[in-house]
Amino acid sequence: MTETTIEEKKERYYLLDALRGLALVNMLLYHFSYDIFVIYGQNPHWLGAPATFFWQQGICWSFILISGFSWRFGAANSLKRGLFLNGLGLLITAVTWLVIPDEVVFFGILNFIGCGVLLTIPFSKLGKKTPPLLGAVICLVLFALTYPIQNGYLWLGGETLALPRELYSGVLTIFGFPGAGFYSSDYFPILPWIFLYWTGWFLYPLLMKNKGIRHFLSIRIPLLSDIGRKTIWIYVLHQPILMGICIIWSSLFM
């Protein structure tokens, strides 16, 4: 079955919704833990624990891979969707800057995915000429190579390559080159994350050509599949609700 035929069927792949819903539930638990342990100071060292880091990265990786994988489902509305997500991201930046400036979000996950959607519009023309497996491998290698870029270097297997400090003036912050003193409580620059997003994009034709996989992805998981279909609005609203719960909890028990 060709990619065009798959896209024309417009079948709902509920398992993708469920995986997105599972990532969202994990994100809610992570952010609630962050609010309690870090913002309210119950365990400031929690954020530096290896388990916390791997939990947070697992949530991010799954969101970004699924978003890249799902890009083709909404390809016709990519421009509108990308601008909408960036608008929501900027709104979150404005609200956090005004309400909780110590935890301001600058270029968080919504801005990144919005930019990922927009950048994939021109990228898709080149990407469709690349064998999917080769493209996925190349993007995954580039993701690993650029993963530490915001810390000033590239990773070359067992070696590192320092990057020019001039890149880190602050002008290129959204691209992965933050300036001195930069802070964001949710920061997902274009590099390295665009390569993980495009890994998901290449996985679509690689996996969807298999009828068995398509059938498997059509399995619906109650509740999680429903949550996954409302990811954006839950993401936008969850933190004010969690903060409200924390305020009530702290006034009663702290």
Side-chain angles (χ1 to χ4, degrees):
M1 183 178 288
T2 65
E3 179 183 322
T4 302
T5 306
I6 294 170
E7 290 172 353
E8 286 175 352
K9 288 184 68 177
K10 300 297 182 183
E11 183 178 355
R12 188 80 194 185
Y13 295 104
Y14 293 103
L15 189 58
L16 287 177
D17 292 327
L19 292 173
R20 198 161 30 228
L22 180 61
L24 188 62
V25 169
N26 266 287
M27 183 200 68
L28 294 175
L29 293 172
Y30 176 87
H31 282 171
F32 186 64
S33 300
Y34 181 91
D35 292 344
I36 293 293
F37 294 140
V38 179
I39 295 180
Y40 280 86
Q42 295 301 294
N43 182 7
H45 300 295
W46 173 84
L47 191 60
T52 302
F53 172 78
F54 287 116
W55 184 21
Q56 187 259 0
Q57 289 294 291
I59 297 167
C60 303
W61 281 49
S62 56
F63 263 130
I64 292 171
L65 276 170
I66 293 170
S67 296
F69 186 92
S70 304
W71 184 89
R72 301 175 199 238
F73 296 131
N77 297 314
S78 292
L79 179 61
K80 180 180 178 180
R81 187 158 49 98
L83 293 175
F84 174 71
L85 289 171
N86 271 296
L88 286 179
L90 291 174
L91 177 62
I92 288 175
T93 297
V95 170
T96 54
W97 182 69
L98 290 171
V99 178
I100 43 173
D102 289 342
E103 297 296 328
V104 65
V105 173
F106 180 78
F107 211 80
I109 191 68
L110 285 184
N111 277 122
F112 166 73
I113 292 179
C115 286
V117 170
L118 296 176
L119 290 171
T120 305
I121 298 173
F123 173 80
S124 63
K125 295 178 174 59
L126 173 65
K128 286 181 178 180
K129 299 177 182 178
T130 306
L133 180 58
L134 177 63
V137 170
I138 289 173
C139 285
L140 204 54
V141 169
L142 289 174
F143 174 66
L145 175 73
T146 57
Y147 185 78
I149 199 169
Q150 69 191 68
N151 295 319
Y153 61 92
L154 302 177
W155 183 74
L156 303 173
E159 303 292 332
T160 58
L161 175 65
L163 295 170
R165 295 311 304 169
E166 290 77 12
L167 292 172
Y168 297 85
S169 65
V171 177
L172 302 175
T173 296
I174 69 170
F175 295 100
F177 305 95
F182 170 79
Y183 174 77
S184 173
S185 62
D186 185 39
Y187 176 50
F188 286 88
I190 291 172
L191 296 177
W193 298 103
I194 192 63
F195 294 122
L196 187 62
Y197 187 92
W198 284 341
T199 299
W201 187 87
F202 276 115
L203 287 176
Y204 177 94
L206 194 63
L207 298 178
M208 297 297 280
K209 65 182 180 181
N210 186 294
K211 185 177 180 180
I213 291 177
R214 294 199 307 276
H215 177 72
F216 179 68
L217 291 176
S218 298
I219 296 173
R220 184 168 189 164
I221 299 179
L223 188 59
L224 281 179
S225 293
D226 296 327
I227 291 173
R229 297 186 68 175
K230 298 176 174 62
T231 302
I232 296 302
W233 297 115
I234 294 175
Y235 181 87
V236 169
L237 296 173
H238 83 281
Q239 194 64 306
I241 294 173
L242 291 181
M243 286 300 295
I245 293 171
C246 287
I247 290 170
I248 293 172
W249 181 83
S250 64
S251 64
L252 293 175
F253 303 108
M254 293 178 63

